[in-house]
Amino acid sequence: MAVLRKQNEAVTRSSIQRFFEHHLAAAGAILVALFVLLAIFAPLLAPYGINDQSLADRLAGPSTEHLFGTDDFGRDIFSRVLYGARLSLWVGFFSCLGSAVAGTLLGLIAGFYGKWVDGLISRIFDIMLAFPSILLAIAIVAILGPSLENALIAIAIINIPTFGRLVRSRVLSIKEEEYILAAKAIGMSNSRMMVKHILPNSMAPIIVQATLNIGTAIIEAAALGFLGLGAQAPNPEWGKMLADARPYLAQAPWTLFFPGISIMLTVLGFNLLGDGVRDTLDPRMKEGK
């Protein structure tokens, strides 16, 4: 056991070293960490309240008083972007968590039991994937009602097949391994086998997909907010801020630029981070070096 523990520690150290040697992944981690810190310390960093209005400063350009300028109500855009990071990251993390948990559970069941169970779950995934994801999200929010919470639920639902199919394919491969056959031979229960052996050996692709999926969820939340189906006024969600600023594109372009660049940088950070995690956890990448 001690030898095995030392081997695992060595592998972990090697993986961490490989990750930080991946310069784009390190840049992604820095971007993600930056926006997470901005979200956490928004109350300390924001110079104004998110709903403090000053009509005298309406559509004022960036200045020392208002770093990102003001919107059509004279609200400080910098303060609203900071608090918007909280909402966007909240939706991204928790929608991804929900879809990962549900998709992993369904994928485990489908891949392990096979037969009609696999057929039923796979057909459900196929039906969901037959619809463009944003249209399916719009339909779900239209049924539940427009709100940030319902947008989170919709985003979690539409991403379940992504995780489900990934885990199913992994389980189909793992359950033919010799150690799984040995576990069956000694009478290990199916549930224990899935939890003790199959799930831990399926975690690497789940982690990679989850990292990439957070960025996708942030874009989908912004899209729903832009369409008026996500966060509602006066919440400073980035997509909603873009929608509110659209009539002032020519007159006050900064009202769109700063929320838009925040979405772009956050999603870019998660994409670069996901690529780095994938390269770190992919055994074929390790063998190639």
Side-chain angles (χ1 to χ4, degrees):
M1 291 296 293
V3 174
L4 181 60
R5 184 166 58 252
K6 289 182 179 179
Q7 289 178 342
N8 290 335
E9 291 175 355
V11 170
T12 301
R13 286 195 299 270
S14 176
S15 297
I16 294 174
Q17 182 180 358
R18 281 171 49 80
F19 177 83
F20 284 103
E21 287 176 352
H22 194 302
H23 299 303
L24 291 178
I30 292 171
L31 276 175
V32 170
L34 173 63
F35 278 96
V36 169
L37 290 174
L38 290 176
I40 292 173
F41 295 106
L44 299 177
L45 297 174
Y48 301 93
I50 56 174
N51 293 317
D52 292 349
Q53 300 182 17
S54 175
L55 296 181
D57 295 325
R58 181 176 180 270
L59 298 178
S63 64
T64 54
E65 187 176 357
H66 299 284
L67 292 180
F68 290 177
T70 63
D71 63 9
D72 54 318
F73 287 101
R75 296 174 296 193
D76 183 66
I77 294 176
F78 178 67
S79 300
R80 291 177 63 80
V81 166
L82 288 177
Y83 277 90
R86 286 187 160 192
L87 298 180
S88 293
L89 291 174
W90 178 74
V91 172
F93 280 118
F94 285 99
S95 64
C96 180
L97 178 62
S99 55
V101 171
T104 298
L105 179 60
L106 291 173
L108 272 173
I109 294 172
F112 187 82
Y113 288 102
K115 299 181 181 179
W116 68 268
V117 177
D118 183 20
L120 176 62
I121 294 175
S122 295
R123 295 299 78 75
I124 293 174
F125 289 163
D126 290 340
I127 292 171
M128 293 178 68
L129 291 170
F131 295 92
S133 59
I134 190 63
L135 292 182
L136 184 58
I138 290 172
I140 295 172
V141 175
I143 294 171
L144 298 177
S147 72
L148 188 63
E149 293 76 13
N150 291 339
L152 186 154
I153 293 171
I155 294 168
I157 291 173
I158 64 175
N159 287 305
I160 287 175
T162 302
F163 287 94
R165 296 183 74 179
L166 177 68
V167 174
R168 173 186 173 274
S169 63
R170 182 69 176 164
V171 172
L172 288 174
S173 173
I174 291 175
K175 74 175 186 178
E176 300 301 327
E177 296 287 343
E178 292 183 359
Y179 62 91
I180 298 298
L181 299 177
K184 290 181 180 179
I186 64 175
M188 182 178 289
S189 66
N190 291 338
S191 59
R192 182 174 173 79
M193 201 181 309
M194 285 191 286
V195 172
K196 188 175 180 61
H197 295 297
I198 295 179
L199 182 58
N201 287 287
S202 303
M203 287 305 297
I206 295 173
I207 293 171
V208 173
Q209 184 59 46
T211 307
L212 295 169
N213 190 255
I214 293 174
T216 302
I218 290 173
I219 291 179
E220 290 165 343
L224 291 174
F226 185 83
L227 296 173
L229 297 173
Q232 301 298 300
N235 288 324
E237 193 272 327
W238 290 337
K240 178 63 176 171
M241 291 176 68
L242 289 176
D244 293 340
R246 185 175 52 176
Y248 308 102
L249 174 59
Q251 181 182 359
W254 56 85
T255 57
L256 283 92
F257 175 79
F258 291 109
I261 200 68
S262 298
I263 296 172
M264 188 272 287
L265 290 176
T266 305
V267 174
L268 176 63
F270 279 108
N271 287 342
L272 294 176
L273 180 62
D275 287 343
V277 172
R278 180 197 60 204
D279 294 347
T280 300
L281 298 179
D282 189 343
R284 291 170 297 181
M285 296 296 296
K286 294 178 183 179
E287 293 171 1
K289 292 190 175 184

